[in-house]
Amino acid sequence: MKRSLRVSVAALAVTTFALTAGCGRSDEPAAEDASAAPVATGDVSGDITVWAMGTEGEKLGEFAQAFTEENPDVTVDVTAIPWDAAHDKIATAIAADEVPDVSMIGTTWMGEFGTSGGLDPTPPDLIDESAFFEGAWGSTEVGGVSYAVPWYVETRVLFVDTALAEQAGVSPTPATWDDLMATSKGMQSAGAQWGITLQAGQTGAWQTFMPFAWQAGAEIMNADQTEFTFDSPEFVKALTYYQSFFTDGVAPKELPDGTLEPDFVAGKIGAFQSGPWHIGILDETGGEGFLDGVTLAPLPADEKQASFIGGSNLAVFKGSENRDAAWKFVQWLSQPEVQADWYAETSDLPAVQSAWEEGDLASDPALAVFGEQMTTAQAPPSIPTWEQISSVIDTELEKVCKSGMDPQEAATAIQQQAEAIGTGL
């Protein structure tokens, strides 16, 4: 069924989530204790110090007043930290044992900080794992132990020019890999310069490519996360399919910065893959009524459906001076109704599945696409060296897309470099 964007969701301008972490080190110390001590669930008191980044850092302090109304003996002190300074600030705080009680942790930072010994394991008696999207919860786990709670999430879907697709006689909601190629080529035949845009190797391109690998059934590592499996037939299949968009001239090898949105609005680009923040960007670029002509669709499937999941988690530090109150605050932020209220305040998509069952989150067709996609979205492995390895994927992917490198050679190169870097665990 076709799902078209409505102007009513134009206000959804989710902050682009900063997911880039510093390079993990292979000599990170293992967590000192992987067991979670019980948390007192009664009355709490005292100060809770919280570090938060971006828009969340700006808005959480006022939002937390509802928590202090329920817990009048508690004060929540939120410090806003710039995203570009947050990673090093957290790392320094752990090293010096001068930590806040709670901090946001970018999902791709979890491997590094989860093995640092600085984070408190998530208490299973307090936090219900099953309440969260599976991919979101997976981003909190390091070595089989959760060290945080998912706070908000994002995932990627297709943005498609509905009129172009209909003019070409192709589906604006391609269900399979063959459908996606047919839709992209059809819109190009109908007048688009490019049927679709896909990242061709620039920093972060792995986030666009990896859903195709997961869709093909590829895994990055074996089940116990001791060995990399980049050179699998499934991974090569995904690289080959991804490469075909560039060799067939359906996707551009280079797209100048700042041209995606205006070219999509002008009908020069038929489709692109992105997250919920692009709704607000397109509304601003295209003007009133433009979103009515845009269809959102889940990413297509091969062996299965999959997308990338990102966002941010909330962690309590082992050095917290008010551990019980800190975890109670995190638990409060994880309640479905609180998650829904936080969405209304910030447009951050809830990590708790049941928060999607009321209000705009339940009734808006555009949001429904993101909610549907979230159920099959995946996170990369939570290992300290992931940022180094993802950089390798970006580099080899660029050779595949721009220089025509053999996909098998690229997969072998990624595998060999990943093995040399190691897991850091």
Side-chain angles (χ1 to χ4, degrees), residues 346-373:
T346 64
S347 295
D348 284 350
L349 300 180
V352 174
Q353 297 184 69
S354 59
W356 291 72
E357 296 174 359
E358 297 182 6
D360 286 347
L361 287 161
S363 61
D364 195 296
L367 292 176
V369 178
F370 285 102
E372 177 185 346
Q373 187 72 82

Side-chain angles (χ1 to χ4, degrees), residues 96 101 106 111 219 248 269 276 359-360:
D101 296 300
E219 298 292 343
D248 291 356
I269 293 172
D360 286 347

Side-chain angles (χ1 to χ4, degrees), residues 8 61 81 120 157 298 311 316 319-320 395:
S8 63
I81 308 294
D120 196 31
V157 301
V316 173
S320 168
T395 299

Side-chain angles (χ1 to χ4, degrees), residues 194-417:
W194 305 109
I196 192 171
T197 63
L198 298 167
Q199 287 185 285
Q202 58 267 53
T203 300
W206 67 270
Q207 296 182 14
T208 303
F209 165 72
M210 278 307 304
F212 291 94
W214 290 322
Q215 289 160 21
E219 298 292 343
I220 297 174
M221 305 184 75
N222 62 358
D224 58 3
Q225 292 197 343
T226 58
E227 297 179 1
F228 294 104
T229 55
F230 287 109
D231 56 354
S232 68
E234 294 82 5
F235 196 86
V236 174
K237 179 183 179 182
L239 280 172
T240 303
Y241 175 72
Y242 198 84
Q243 183 186 54
S244 69
F245 285 93
F246 300 92
T247 55
D248 291 356
V250 182
K253 294 180 180 179
E254 298 281 354
L255 190 69
D257 290 343
T259 61
L260 171 60
E261 295 83 9
D263 281 3
F264 182 74
V265 169
K268 296 180 181 179
I269 293 172
F272 65 94
Q273 180 188 133
S274 191
W277 58 85
H278 248 111
I279 294 177
I281 295 173
L282 289 178
D283 179 59
E284 182 177 347
T285 305
E288 184 177 357
F290 175 75
L291 291 175
D292 291 336
V294 179
T295 295
L296 257 64
L299 300 187
D302 183 49
E303 293 299 318
K304 63 178 183 178
Q305 192 179 66
S307 185
F308 169 81
I309 192 167
S312 196
N313 302 326
L314 290 170
V316 173
F317 290 90
K318 276 192 174 180
S320 168
E321 296 182 356
N322 199 353
R323 179 176 180 268
D324 289 345
W327 274 117
K328 188 169 186 177
F329 181 55
V330 171
Q331 181 193 43
W332 178 79
L333 287 170
S334 303
Q335 294 175 7
E337 62 274 17
V338 175
Q339 289 245 307
D341 289 345
W342 183 242
Y343 160 76
E345 182 70 24
T346 64
S347 295
D348 284 350
L349 300 180
V352 174
Q353 297 184 69
S354 59
W356 291 72
E357 296 174 359
E358 297 182 6
D360 286 347
L361 287 161
S363 61
D364 195 296
L367 292 176
V369 178
F370 285 102
E372 177 185 346
Q373 187 72 82
M374 212 81 71
T375 62
T376 56
Q378 295 182 223
S382 296
I383 56 176
T385 57
W386 176 249
E387 288 303 318
Q388 296 176 66
I389 292 169
S390 66
S391 179
V392 169
I393 298 174
D394 288 345
T395 299
E396 300 304 318
L397 187 64
E398 183 168 16
K399 297 174 185 176
V400 168
C401 298
K402 295 183 178 181
S403 304
M405 183 181 189
D406 179 72
Q408 179 63 67
E409 292 182 10
T412 300
I414 294 171
Q415 177 72 16
Q416 290 174 345
Q417 293 177 74

Side-chain angles (χ1 to χ4, degrees), residues 128-142:
D128 179 12
E129 171 185 345
S130 66
F132 301 87
F133 288 108
E134 182 179 356
W137 185 264
S139 74
T140 73
E141 293 183 323
V142 183

